Amino acid sequence: GFMYAMDPGLAAIHPDPAELRKARNRYARHYNCHLFWAPLVAGMLLHTEAEIAKGRMSPAAFGTIKDTAVNTLSALGDSVFGGTLLVTWGLAMAAFVAGGYPELGLAVSAALFLALQAFKVCTFVCGVRYGLSALFWLRRWDLINWGDRLKTGNAILLLLVLVLCLPAENDPALWGLTI
């Protein structure tokens, strides 16, 4: 699937059919990265392909660049997005619904979804523009530490959801289940 996503960019970068075939072959291998980082990876690899087409980079360096980008972003995506932000999103929506504000939850969820799409577009553009050096500015975001902070917030959100789900009579035995 990633190869098909890359194909329009590869065709624009490599007008020569023989070079395009070589470029396509570079993507006919296993690809595994968190889907929220896929646009950044695609942008970085298109940047690399442009450098190869201009003769500034050897095609032999491609594998190392791809592995570096994919492995780095896969681990970061699984930790920050999969293990933290998506959980935060889900718990926040559960709190809105349990608190009696499903419309507000839907509006916040739609806004977060649009923000995620904007994030993907911006990271793709940065990847195309800066290539592998985009990982250096990404490092300054300190996402691992932000993930730890959000996990603490998730614990608080979970407690809030549990409290909101308690029956009106607030049976002390049920409070023990929230701990």
Side-chain angles (χ1 to χ4, degrees):
F2 188 71
M3 182 172 84
Y4 292 115
M6 296 294 292
D7 199 56
L10 295 175
I13 293 169
H14 300 287
D16 177 36
E19 291 301 316
L20 178 58
R21 187 172 42 260
K22 289 177 189 176
R24 285 178 176 155
N25 284 337
R26 288 192 281 270
Y27 294 90
R29 288 170 182 75
H30 178 70
Y31 167 82
N32 182 26
C33 189
H34 194 277
L35 65 121
F36 292 174
W37 288 122
L40 177 59
V41 171
M44 288 189 299
L45 296 179
L46 287 174
H47 176 88
T48 302
E49 287 293 339
E51 294 297 306
I52 291 170
K54 293 174 187 172
R56 295 182 192 161
M57 187 177 293
S58 166
F62 177 81
T64 303
I65 291 170
K66 180 181 175 193
D67 289 345
T68 299
V70 168
N71 292 336
T72 301
L73 293 173
S74 180
L76 190 59
D78 289 344
S79 173
V80 173
F81 288 114
T84 306
L85 282 174
L86 289 176
V87 174
T88 304
W89 190 340
L91 286 171
M93 295 311 104
F96 279 123
V97 171
Y101 301 101
E103 296 85 6
L104 183 57
L106 181 62
V108 169
S109 190
L112 290 172
F113 178 77
L114 292 175
L116 174 61
Q117 302 316 309
F119 171 80
K120 290 179 183 180
V121 169
C122 291
T123 57
F124 174 76
V125 169
C126 287
V128 168
R129 185 172 291 165
Y130 301 112
L132 196 59
S133 64
L135 293 177
F136 294 114
W137 59 257
L138 187 62
R139 186 174 141 190
R140 286 186 261 152
W141 289 5
D142 196 25
L143 290 175
I144 294 297
N145 288 328
W146 275 105
D148 289 342
R149 292 178 191 121
L150 282 172
K151 286 175 184 172
T152 302
N154 285 346
I156 294 167
L157 270 173
L158 179 60
L159 181 61
L160 174 65
V161 169
L162 291 172
V163 167
L164 289 171
C165 290
L166 283 176
E169 59 270 359
N170 292 327
D171 185 356
L174 291 174
W175 277 94
L177 293 175
T178 63
I179 296 175

